[in-house]
Amino acid sequence: MTSSVIKYFIPNKILAFKESRASKDIYLTFDDGPTPIVTEQLLSLLSKYNIKATFFMIGSNIEKHPEIAKSVVDNGHSIGNHSLTHKEFPSLSFKQQVIEVEQTNKLIDSLKAFNKKLFRVPRGKWTIFILFYCFISKIRAIHWSLDSNDYQKSSINSLINRLKNQPLKNGEIILFHDDHNLSIEILEVMIPIWLDANFKFRTLS
């Protein structure tokens, strides 16, 4: 199911595209980590500005790099579930989809993360089955409202200019990735701009 379809037909309480627009809060989110060097450098950058974010982690990466995953928690950031193996959910049976979520939740629980359970499907490809499962399991399904496009690995200037030219709105959930350093290069430029515009950075809950 494409995001353009679900955005108009599924309520925000079932799948969140944005948070409240009542205040100038924005939400940085990072998919696909934790990864050596990149996640660690990203934590340093966020710490420099005293910013908190939400990291949607792949379970198999938590198993490979538990010390990095724990450092994300220790630095006060929220942790979200981004599946165990990052397979596209429409290609999996419902049972396989549930296993992907539940096994990763167990890994996240071992980190003693303080936030409630959050889930983002790989590549934004939601299924009705997993949305229903999240709803009845009290797992908050999270999409995004603004995509940084850092995964396209375009020129850094084009990615930055795109964000500069796209007005940021209250409650935006912004998608980045912490499996390569483009996110860091973009945010080194954009964080001061967004702070100057009086936006506050929050974690998802």
Side-chain angles (χ1 to χ4, degrees):
M1 189 176 357
T2 64
S3 60
S4 60
V5 172
I6 57 180
K7 185 174 182 178
Y8 292 104
F9 292 100
I10 296 180
N12 201 66
K13 67 179 181 180
I14 294 178
L15 178 60
F17 280 82
K18 276 192 174 184
E19 292 289 62
S20 171
R21 301 182 187 183
S23 57
K24 295 198 71 170
D25 296 336
I26 56 176
Y27 302 81
L28 293 181
T29 66
F30 300 93
D31 286 8
D32 296 355
T35 55
I37 301 175
V38 176
T39 302
E40 295 162 314
Q41 290 179 346
L42 184 56
L43 289 175
S44 295
L45 176 63
L46 296 175
S47 178
K48 174 183 175 181
Y49 291 101
N50 194 26
I51 285 172
K52 304 304 180 188
T54 303
F55 289 75
F56 285 91
M57 296 184 178
I58 297 173
S60 59
N61 283 345
I62 296 175
E63 290 180 309
K64 292 175 188 174
H65 311 292
E67 71 291 345
I68 301 175
K70 189 64 169 64
S71 70
V72 174
V73 175
D74 291 344
N75 278 273
H77 302 285
S78 291
I79 305 296
N81 182 328
H82 197 44
S83 82
L84 184 67
T85 62
H86 206 258
K87 293 177 181 175
E88 293 188 5
F89 272 39
S91 68
L92 303 177
S93 69
F94 177 56
K95 181 179 179 181
Q96 289 172 318
Q97 293 176 48
V98 170
I99 290 172
E100 288 273 328
V101 175
E102 291 186 344
Q103 290 190 4
T104 304
N105 273 342
K106 289 179 181 178
L107 291 166
I108 293 172
D109 287 342
S110 71
L111 301 174
K112 302 189 185 304
F114 58 87
N115 56 285
K116 293 182 179 179
K117 287 182 168 57
L118 308 170
F119 176 69
R120 176 179 282 163
V121 79
R123 299 183 177 89
K125 295 186 177 182
W126 297 92
T127 68
I128 289 293
F129 305 109
I130 203 62
L131 287 172
F132 176 74
Y133 168 79
C134 287
F135 183 71
I136 64 172
S137 302
K138 297 183 179 179
I139 297 170
R140 191 160 186 233
I142 305 288
H143 200 75
W144 58 83
S145 58
L146 178 61
D147 187 347
S148 69
N149 282 342
D150 60 350
Y151 59 90
Q152 293 185 357
K153 299 180 175 62
S154 304
S155 74
I156 186 66
N157 287 335
S158 66
L159 293 172
I160 289 172
N161 287 334
R162 177 179 172 273
L163 288 173
K164 284 182 177 179
N165 294 328
Q166 188 162 349
L168 202 60
K169 298 176 182 177
N170 295 1
E172 297 270 28
I173 298 174
I174 310 171
L175 172 64
F176 284 94
H177 297 79
D178 61 325
D179 60 344
H180 53 79
N181 62 6
L182 267 179
S183 59
I184 298 171
E185 295 179 50
I186 294 169
L187 287 170
E188 284 176 338
V189 175
M190 295 308 303
I191 285 176
I193 291 173
W194 289 333
L195 286 172
D196 286 344
N198 295 317
F199 284 105
K200 295 185 174 75
F201 294 81
R202 306 292 189 192
T203 59
L204 294 165
S205 63

Coordinates of all heavy atoms in Angstrom, one line a residue, residues 109-183:
D109 N 13.7 -4.2 24.0 CA 13.5 -4.3 25.4 C 14.8 -4.6 26.2 O 14.9 -4.1 27.3 CB 12.5 -5.4 25.7 CG 11.1 -5.1 25.3 OD1 10.8 -3.9 25.2 OD2 10.2 -6.0 25.2
S110 N 15.7 -5.3 25.6 CA 17.0 -5.6 26.3 C 17.8 -4.3 26.5 O 18.7 -4.3 27.3 CB 17.7 -6.7 25.5 OG 18.3 -6.1 24.3
L111 N 17.5 -3.3 25.7 CA 18.3 -2.0 25.8 C 17.7 -1.2 26.9 O 18.4 -0.1 27.2 CB 18.2 -1.3 24.5 CG 18.7 -2.0 23.2 CD1 18.5 -1.1 22.0 CD2 20.2 -2.2 23.3
K112 N 16.6 -1.6 27.4 CA 15.9 -0.8 28.5 C 15.6 0.6 28.0 O 15.8 1.6 28.7 CB 16.8 -0.8 29.8 CG 17.0 -2.2 30.3 CD 17.7 -2.1 31.7 CE 18.1 -3.5 32.2 NZ 16.9 -4.5 32.2
A113 N 15.1 0.7 26.8 CA 14.6 2.0 26.3 C 13.4 2.5 27.1 O 12.6 1.7 27.4 CB 14.3 1.9 24.8
F114 N 13.3 3.8 27.3 CA 12.3 4.3 28.1 C 11.0 4.6 27.4 O 10.0 4.9 28.1 CB 12.8 5.6 28.8 CG 13.2 6.7 27.8 CD1 12.3 7.6 27.3 CD2 14.5 6.8 27.4 CE1 12.6 8.5 26.4 CE2 14.9 7.8 26.5 CZ 14.0 8.6 26.0
N115 N 11.0 4.7 26.1 CA 9.8 5.1 25.4 C 8.9 3.9 25.1 O 9.2 2.7 25.2 CB 10.2 5.7 24.0 CG 11.0 4.8 23.2 OD1 12.2 4.6 23.5 ND2 10.5 4.2 22.2
K116 N 7.6 4.3 24.8 CA 6.6 3.2 24.4 C 7.0 2.6 23.1 O 7.8 3.2 22.3 CB 5.2 3.9 24.4 CG 4.7 4.3 25.7 CD 3.3 4.9 25.6 CE 2.8 5.3 27.0 NZ 1.4 5.9 26.9
K117 N 6.4 1.5 22.7 CA 6.7 0.8 21.5 C 6.3 1.6 20.3 O 5.2 2.0 20.1 CB 6.1 -0.6 21.5 CG 6.8 -1.5 22.5 CD 6.2 -2.9 22.5 CE 7.1 -3.9 23.2 NZ 7.3 -3.6 24.6
L118 N 7.3 1.7 19.3 CA 7.1 2.4 18.1 C 7.5 1.5 17.0 O 8.4 0.7 17.1 CB 8.0 3.7 18.0 CG 7.9 4.7 19.2 CD1 9.0 5.7 19.0 CD2 6.5 5.3 19.2
F119 N 6.9 1.6 15.8 CA 7.2 0.7 14.7 C 7.1 1.5 13.4 O 6.2 2.3 13.1 CB 6.3 -0.5 14.6 CG 6.6 -1.4 13.4 CD1 7.8 -2.1 13.3 CD2 5.7 -1.4 12.3 CE1 8.1 -2.8 12.1 CE2 6.0 -2.2 11.2 CZ 7.2 -2.9 11.1
R120 N 8.1 1.3 12.5 CA 8.1 1.9 11.1 C 8.4 0.7 10.2 O 9.5 0.1 10.3 CB 9.1 3.0 11.0 CG 9.1 3.5 9.5 CD 10.1 4.7 9.4 NE 9.5 6.0 9.9 CZ 10.1 7.1 10.2 NH1 11.5 7.1 10.1 NH2 9.5 8.1 10.6
V121 N 7.6 0.5 9.2 CA 7.8 -0.6 8.3 C 8.9 -0.3 7.3 O 9.2 0.9 7.0 CB 6.5 -0.9 7.5 CG1 6.3 0.2 6.4 CG2 6.4 -2.3 7.0
P122 N 9.7 -1.3 6.9 CA 10.8 -1.0 6.0 C 10.3 -0.4 4.7 O 9.2 -0.8 4.1 CB 11.4 -2.4 5.7 CG 11.1 -3.2 6.9 CD 9.7 -2.7 7.4
R123 N 11.0 0.6 4.2 CA 10.7 1.3 3.0 C 9.3 2.0 2.9 O 8.8 2.3 1.8 CB 11.0 0.4 1.8 CG 12.4 -0.1 1.7 CD 12.6 -0.9 0.4 NE 14.0 -1.4 0.4 CZ 14.5 -2.5 0.9 NH1 13.7 -3.3 1.6 NH2 15.8 -2.8 0.8
G124 N 8.7 2.1 4.0 CA 7.3 2.7 4.1 C 6.2 1.9 3.4 O 5.2 2.4 3.1
K125 N 6.5 0.6 3.2 CA 5.5 -0.3 2.5 C 4.6 -1.0 3.5 O 4.9 -2.2 3.9 CB 6.2 -1.2 1.6 CG 6.9 -0.5 0.5 CD 7.5 -1.4 -0.6 CE 8.2 -0.7 -1.7 NZ 8.7 -1.6 -2.8
W126 N 3.6 -0.3 4.0 CA 2.7 -0.9 5.0 C 1.7 -1.9 4.4 O 1.4 -1.8 3.2 CB 1.9 0.3 5.6 CG 2.7 1.3 6.3 CD1 3.3 2.4 5.8 CD2 3.2 1.2 7.7 NE1 4.0 3.0 6.8 CE2 4.0 2.3 7.9 CE3 2.9 0.2 8.7 CZ2 4.6 2.5 9.2 CZ3 3.5 0.5 9.9 CH2 4.3 1.6 10.2
T127 N 1.3 -2.8 5.3 CA 0.2 -3.7 4.9 C -1.0 -3.5 5.9 O -0.7 -3.1 7.1 CB 0.6 -5.2 4.9 OG1 0.9 -5.6 6.3 CG2 1.9 -5.4 4.1
I128 N -2.2 -3.8 5.5 CA -3.3 -3.7 6.4 C -3.1 -4.6 7.6 O -3.5 -4.2 8.7 CB -4.6 -4.0 5.7 CG1 -5.0 -2.9 4.7 CG2 -5.8 -4.3 6.6 CD1 -5.4 -1.6 5.3
F129 N -2.5 -5.7 7.4 CA -2.3 -6.7 8.4 C -1.4 -6.2 9.5 O -1.7 -6.3 10.7 CB -1.7 -8.0 7.9 CG -2.5 -8.6 6.7 CD1 -2.0 -8.6 5.4 CD2 -3.8 -9.2 7.0 CE1 -2.8 -9.1 4.4 CE2 -4.5 -9.7 5.9 CZ -4.0 -9.7 4.6
I130 N -0.3 -5.6 9.2 CA 0.6 -5.1 10.2 C 0.0 -3.9 10.9 O 0.3 -3.6 12.1 CB 2.0 -4.8 9.6 CG1 3.1 -4.9 10.7 CG2 2.1 -3.5 8.9 CD1 3.1 -6.3 11.4
L131 N -0.7 -3.0 10.2 CA -1.4 -1.9 10.9 C -2.4 -2.4 11.9 O -2.5 -1.8 13.0 CB -2.0 -1.0 9.8 CG -1.1 -0.1 9.0 CD1 -1.9 0.5 7.8 CD2 -0.3 0.9 9.8
F132 N -3.1 -3.4 11.5 CA -4.1 -4.0 12.5 C -3.4 -4.5 13.7 O -3.8 -4.3 14.8 CB -4.9 -5.0 11.8 CG -5.9 -5.7 12.7 CD1 -7.1 -5.1 13.1 CD2 -5.7 -7.0 13.1 CE1 -7.9 -5.8 14.0 CE2 -6.5 -7.7 14.0 CZ -7.7 -7.1 14.4
Y133 N -2.3 -5.3 13.4 CA -1.5 -5.9 14.5 C -1.0 -4.8 15.4 O -1.0 -5.0 16.7 CB -0.4 -6.7 13.9 CG 0.6 -7.1 15.0 CD1 0.4 -8.2 15.8 CD2 1.8 -6.4 15.1 CE1 1.3 -8.6 16.8 CE2 2.8 -6.8 16.1 CZ 2.5 -7.8 16.9 OH 3.4 -8.2 17.8
C134 N -0.4 -3.8 14.9 CA 0.1 -2.7 15.7 C -1.0 -2.0 16.6 O -0.8 -1.8 17.8 CB 0.8 -1.6 14.8 SG 2.4 -2.1 14.1
F135 N -2.1 -1.8 16.0 CA -3.2 -1.2 16.7 C -3.7 -2.0 17.9 O -3.8 -1.5 19.0 CB -4.4 -0.9 15.7 CG -5.5 -0.1 16.3 CD1 -5.4 1.2 16.7 CD2 -6.7 -0.8 16.6 CE1 -6.4 1.9 17.3 CE2 -7.8 -0.1 17.2 CZ -7.6 1.3 17.5
I136 N -3.9 -3.3 17.7 CA -4.4 -4.1 18.8 C -3.3 -4.4 19.8 O -3.6 -4.8 20.9 CB -5.0 -5.4 18.2 CG1 -4.0 -6.3 17.6 CG2 -6.2 -5.1 17.3 CD1 -4.5 -7.7 17.2
S137 N -2.0 -4.3 19.4 CA -0.9 -4.6 20.3 C -0.4 -3.3 21.0 O 0.6 -3.4 21.7 CB 0.2 -5.3 19.5 OG -0.2 -6.4 18.9
K138 N -1.0 -2.2 20.7 CA -0.7 -0.9 21.3 C 0.8 -0.6 20.9 O 1.6 -0.1 21.8 CB -0.9 -1.0 22.8 CG -2.3 -1.1 23.2 CD -2.5 -1.1 24.7 CE -4.0 -1.3 25.0 NZ -4.3 -1.2 26.5
I139 N 1.1 -0.8 19.7 CA 2.4 -0.4 19.1 C 2.1 0.8 18.2 O 1.2 0.7 17.3 CB 3.1 -1.5 18.3 CG1 3.4 -2.7 19.2 CG2 4.3 -1.0 17.6 CD1 3.9 -3.9 18.5
R140 N 2.8 1.9 18.4 CA 2.4 3.1 17.6 C 3.1 3.0 16.2 O 4.4 2.9 16.1 CB 2.9 4.3 18.3 CG 2.3 5.6 17.6 CD 2.4 6.8 18.6 NE 1.7 7.9 17.9 CZ 2.2 9.1 17.7 NH1 3.4 9.4 18.2 NH2 1.5 10.0 17.1
A141 N 2.3 3.0 15.1 CA 2.8 2.9 13.8 C 3.2 4.3 13.3 O 2.4 5.2 13.4 CB 1.8 2.3 12.8
I142 N 4.4 4.5 12.8 CA 4.9 5.8 12.5 C 5.4 5.8 11.0 O 6.2 5.0 10.6 CB 6.1 6.2 13.4 CG1 5.7 6.1 14.9 CG2 6.6 7.6 13.0 CD1 4.8 7.2 15.4
H143 N 4.9 6.8 10.3 CA 5.4 7.0 8.9 C 6.3 8.3 9.0 O 7.0 8.5 9.9 CB 4.3 7.1 7.9 CG 4.7 6.9 6.5 ND1 4.9 5.6 6.0 CD2 4.8 7.8 5.5 CE1 5.2 5.7 4.7 NE2 5.2 7.0 4.4
W144 N 6.2 9.2 8.0 CA 6.9 10.4 8.0 C 6.1 11.4 7.1 O 5.3 11.1 6.3 CB 8.3 10.3 7.5 CG 8.4 9.8 6.1 CD1 8.3 10.4 4.9 CD2 8.6 8.4 5.7 NE1 8.5 9.6 3.9 CE2 8.7 8.3 4.3 CE3 8.8 7.2 6.5 CZ2 8.8 7.1 3.6 CZ3 9.0 6.0 5.8 CH2 9.0 6.0 4.4
S145 N 6.4 12.7 7.4 CA 5.7 13.8 6.6 C 6.7 14.4 5.6 O 6.4 15.0 4.6 CB 5.1 14.8 7.5 OG 6.0 15.4 8.3
L146 N 8.0 14.3 6.0 CA 9.1 15.0 5.2 C 10.2 14.0 5.0 O 10.8 13.5 6.0 CB 9.5 16.3 5.8 CG 10.7 17.0 5.1 CD1 10.2 17.4 3.7 CD2 11.1 18.2 5.9
D147 N 10.6 13.7 3.8 CA 11.6 12.7 3.4 C 12.9 13.5 3.0 O 12.8 14.3 2.1 CB 11.2 11.8 2.3 CG 12.1 10.7 2.0 OD1 13.3 10.8 2.5 OD2 11.8 9.8 1.3
S148 N 14.0 13.3 3.7 CA 15.2 14.0 3.4 C 15.8 13.6 2.0 O 16.6 14.2 1.4 CB 16.3 13.8 4.5 OG 16.7 12.5 4.5
N149 N 15.4 12.4 1.6 CA 15.9 11.7 0.4 C 17.4 11.4 0.5 O 18.1 11.3 -0.5 CB 15.7 12.6 -0.9 CG 14.3 12.5 -1.4 OD1 13.5 11.6 -1.0 ND2 13.8 13.5 -2.1
D150 N 17.9 11.3 1.7 CA 19.4 11.0 1.8 C 19.7 9.7 1.3 O 20.9 9.4 1.0 CB 19.8 11.2 3.3 CG 19.1 10.3 4.3 OD1 18.1 9.6 3.9 OD2 19.5 10.2 5.4
Y151 N 18.8 8.7 1.2 CA 19.1 7.4 0.7 C 19.4 7.4 -0.8 O 19.9 6.4 -1.3 CB 17.9 6.5 1.0 CG 16.6 6.9 0.4 CD1 16.2 6.5 -0.9 CD2 15.7 7.8 1.1 CE1 15.0 7.0 -1.5 CE2 14.6 8.2 0.5 CZ 14.2 7.9 -0.8 OH 13.1 8.3 -1.3
Q152 N 19.0 8.5 -1.5 CA 19.2 8.5 -2.9 C 20.7 8.8 -3.2 O 21.1 8.6 -4.4 CB 18.3 9.6 -3.5 CG 16.8 9.2 -3.5 CD 16.0 10.3 -4.2 OE1 16.5 11.3 -4.8 NE2 14.7 10.0 -4.3
K153 N 21.4 9.2 -2.2 CA 22.8 9.5 -2.4 C 23.1 10.5 -3.6 O 24.0 10.3 -4.3 CB 23.6 8.2 -2.5 CG 23.5 7.3 -1.3 CD 24.3 6.1 -1.4 CE 24.2 5.2 -0.1 NZ 22.9 4.8 0.2
S154 N 22.2 11.5 -3.7 CA 22.4 12.6 -4.6 C 23.5 13.5 -4.1 O 24.0 13.3 -3.0 CB 21.1 13.3 -4.8 OG 20.1 12.5 -5.2
S155 N 23.8 14.5 -4.9 CA 24.8 15.5 -4.4 C 24.3 16.2 -3.1 O 23.1 16.4 -3.0 CB 25.1 16.5 -5.5 OG 24.0 17.5 -5.6
I156 N 25.2 16.4 -2.2 CA 24.9 17.0 -1.0 C 24.2 18.4 -1.1 O 23.2 18.7 -0.4 CB 26.1 17.1 0.0 CG1 25.7 17.6 1.3 CG2 27.2 18.0 -0.7 CD1 24.9 16.7 2.1
N157 N 24.7 19.1 -2.1 CA 24.1 20.5 -2.3 C 22.6 20.4 -2.8 O 21.8 21.2 -2.3 CB 24.9 21.3 -3.3 CG 26.2 21.7 -2.8 OD1 26.4 21.9 -1.6 ND2 27.2 21.9 -3.7
S158 N 22.3 19.4 -3.6 CA 21.0 19.3 -4.1 C 20.0 18.9 -3.0 O 18.9 19.3 -2.9 CB 20.9 18.3 -5.3 OG 21.2 17.0 -4.9
L159 N 20.5 18.0 -2.1 CA 19.7 17.5 -1.0 C 19.4 18.7 0.0 O 18.3 18.9 0.5 CB 20.3 16.4 -0.3 CG 20.4 15.1 -1.1 CD1 21.3 14.0 -0.4 CD2 19.0 14.5 -1.4
I160 N 20.4 19.4 0.3 CA 20.3 20.6 1.2 C 19.4 21.7 0.6 O 18.5 22.2 1.3 CB 21.7 21.2 1.5 CG1 22.4 20.2 2.4 CG2 21.6 22.5 2.2 CD1 23.9 20.6 2.7
N161 N 19.6 22.0 -0.7 CA 18.8 23.0 -1.3 C 17.3 22.6 -1.3 O 16.4 23.4 -1.2 CB 19.3 23.3 -2.7 CG 20.6 24.1 -2.7 OD1 20.8 24.8 -1.8 ND2 21.3 23.9 -3.8
R162 N 17.0 21.3 -1.5 CA 15.7 20.8 -1.5 C 15.0 21.1 -0.2 O 13.9 21.5 -0.1 CB 15.6 19.3 -1.8 CG 14.2 18.7 -1.8 CD 14.3 17.2 -2.2 NE 13.0 16.6 -1.9 CZ 12.6 16.1 -0.8 NH1 13.5 16.1 0.3 NH2 11.5 15.5 -0.6
L163 N 15.7 20.8 0.9 CA 15.2 21.0 2.3 C 15.0 22.5 2.5 O 14.1 23.0 3.2 CB 16.0 20.4 3.3 CG 16.0 18.8 3.4 CD1 17.0 18.3 4.3 CD2 14.6 18.3 3.7
K164 N 16.0 23.3 2.1 CA 15.9 24.8 2.3 C 14.7 25.4 1.6 O 14.1 26.3 2.1 CB 17.2 25.4 1.8 CG 18.4 25.3 2.7 CD 19.6 26.0 2.1 CE 20.8 26.0 2.9 NZ 21.9 26.7 2.3
N165 N 14.4 24.8 0.5 CA 13.3 25.3 -0.3 C 11.9 24.8 0.0 O 10.9 25.2 -0.6 CB 13.5 25.1 -1.8 CG 14.7 25.9 -2.3 OD1 15.0 27.0 -1.8 ND2 15.5 25.3 -3.3
Q166 N 11.9 23.8 0.9 CA 10.6 23.2 1.3 C 10.3 23.7 2.7 O 10.9 23.3 3.7 CB 10.7 21.7 1.3 CG 9.4 21.0 1.5 CD 9.5 19.5 1.1 OE1 10.5 19.1 0.4 NE2 8.5 18.8 1.4
P167 N 9.3 24.6 2.9 CA 9.0 25.2 4.2 C 8.6 24.1 5.2 O 7.8 23.2 4.9 CB 7.7 26.0 3.9 CG 7.8 26.3 2.4 CD 8.4 25.1 1.8
L168 N 9.3 24.2 6.4 CA 9.0 23.2 7.4 C 7.8 23.6 8.2 O 7.6 24.8 8.5 CB 10.2 23.2 8.4 CG 10.5 21.9 9.2 CD1 10.6 20.7 8.3 CD2 11.7 22.1 10.1
K169 N 6.9 22.7 8.5 CA 5.7 22.9 9.2 C 5.7 22.3 10.6 O 6.5 21.3 10.9 CB 4.5 22.4 8.5 CG 4.4 23.0 7.1 CD 3.2 22.4 6.3 CE 3.1 23.0 4.9 NZ 2.0 22.3 4.1
N170 N 5.0 22.9 11.5 CA 4.9 22.3 12.9 C 4.5 20.8 12.8 O 3.6 20.4 12.1 CB 3.8 23.1 13.7 CG 4.2 24.5 13.9 OD1 5.2 25.0 13.5 ND2 3.3 25.2 14.7
G171 N 5.1 20.0 13.7 CA 4.7 18.6 13.8 C 5.3 17.7 12.7 O 5.0 16.5 12.7
E172 N 6.2 18.2 11.9 CA 6.8 17.4 10.9 C 7.6 16.2 11.5 O 8.4 16.4 12.4 CB 7.8 18.2 10.0 CG 7.2 19.4 9.2 CD 6.7 19.0 7.8 OE1 6.3 17.8 7.6 OE2 6.6 19.8 7.0
I173 N 7.4 15.1 10.9 CA 8.2 13.9 11.2 C 9.2 13.7 10.0 O 8.7 13.5 8.9 CB 7.4 12.6 11.4 CG1 6.4 12.8 12.6 CG2 8.3 11.4 11.6 CD1 5.4 11.7 12.8
I174 N 10.5 13.9 10.3 CA 11.4 14.0 9.2 C 12.3 12.7 9.1 O 12.8 12.2 10.1 CB 12.4 15.2 9.4 CG1 11.5 16.5 9.6 CG2 13.2 15.4 8.1 CD1 12.4 17.6 10.1
L175 N 12.3 12.1 7.9 CA 13.0 10.9 7.7 C 14.5 11.1 7.2 O 14.7 11.7 6.2 CB 12.3 10.1 6.6 CG 13.0 8.8 6.1 CD1 13.1 7.8 7.2 CD2 12.3 8.2 4.9
F176 N 15.4 10.5 8.0 CA 16.8 10.4 7.7 C 17.2 8.9 7.9 O 16.4 8.1 8.3 CB 17.7 11.3 8.5 CG 17.6 12.8 8.2 CD1 16.7 13.6 8.8 CD2 18.5 13.3 7.2 CE1 16.7 15.0 8.5 CE2 18.4 14.6 6.9 CZ 17.5 15.5 7.6
H177 N 18.5 8.7 7.6 CA 19.0 7.3 7.8 C 20.4 7.4 8.4 O 21.1 8.4 8.1 CB 19.2 6.6 6.4 CG 17.9 6.3 5.7 ND1 17.2 7.3 5.0 CD2 17.1 5.2 5.7 CE1 16.1 6.8 4.5 NE2 16.0 5.6 4.9
D178 N 20.7 6.5 9.3 CA 22.0 6.5 9.9 C 22.9 5.3 9.5 O 23.7 4.8 10.3 CB 21.9 6.6 11.4 CG 21.2 5.5 12.1 OD1 20.2 4.9 11.5 OD2 21.6 5.1 13.2
D179 N 22.8 4.9 8.2 CA 23.6 3.9 7.7 C 24.6 4.4 6.7 O 25.3 3.7 6.0 CB 22.8 2.7 7.1 CG 21.9 3.2 5.9 OD1 21.7 4.4 5.8 OD2 21.4 2.3 5.1
H180 N 24.6 5.7 6.5 CA 25.7 6.4 5.7 C 25.8 7.8 6.1 O 24.9 8.3 6.8 CB 25.4 6.3 4.2 CG 24.0 6.8 3.8 ND1 23.7 8.1 3.7 CD2 22.9 6.1 3.6 CE1 22.4 8.2 3.4 NE2 21.9 7.1 3.3
N181 N 26.8 8.6 5.8 CA 27.1 9.9 6.4 C 26.4 11.0 5.7 O 26.6 12.2 6.1 CB 28.6 10.1 6.5 CG 29.3 10.2 5.1 OD1 28.6 10.1 4.1 ND2 30.6 10.2 5.1
L182 N 25.6 10.8 4.7 CA 24.9 11.9 4.1 C 24.0 12.6 5.1 O 23.8 13.9 5.0 CB 24.1 11.4 2.9 CG 24.7 11.5 1.5 CD1 23.8 11.0 0.4 CD2 25.2 12.9 1.2
S183 N 23.4 11.9 6.0 CA 22.5 12.5 6.9 C 23.2 13.5 7.8 O 22.7 14.5 8.2 CB 21.8 11.4 7.8 OG 22.8 10.6 8.5

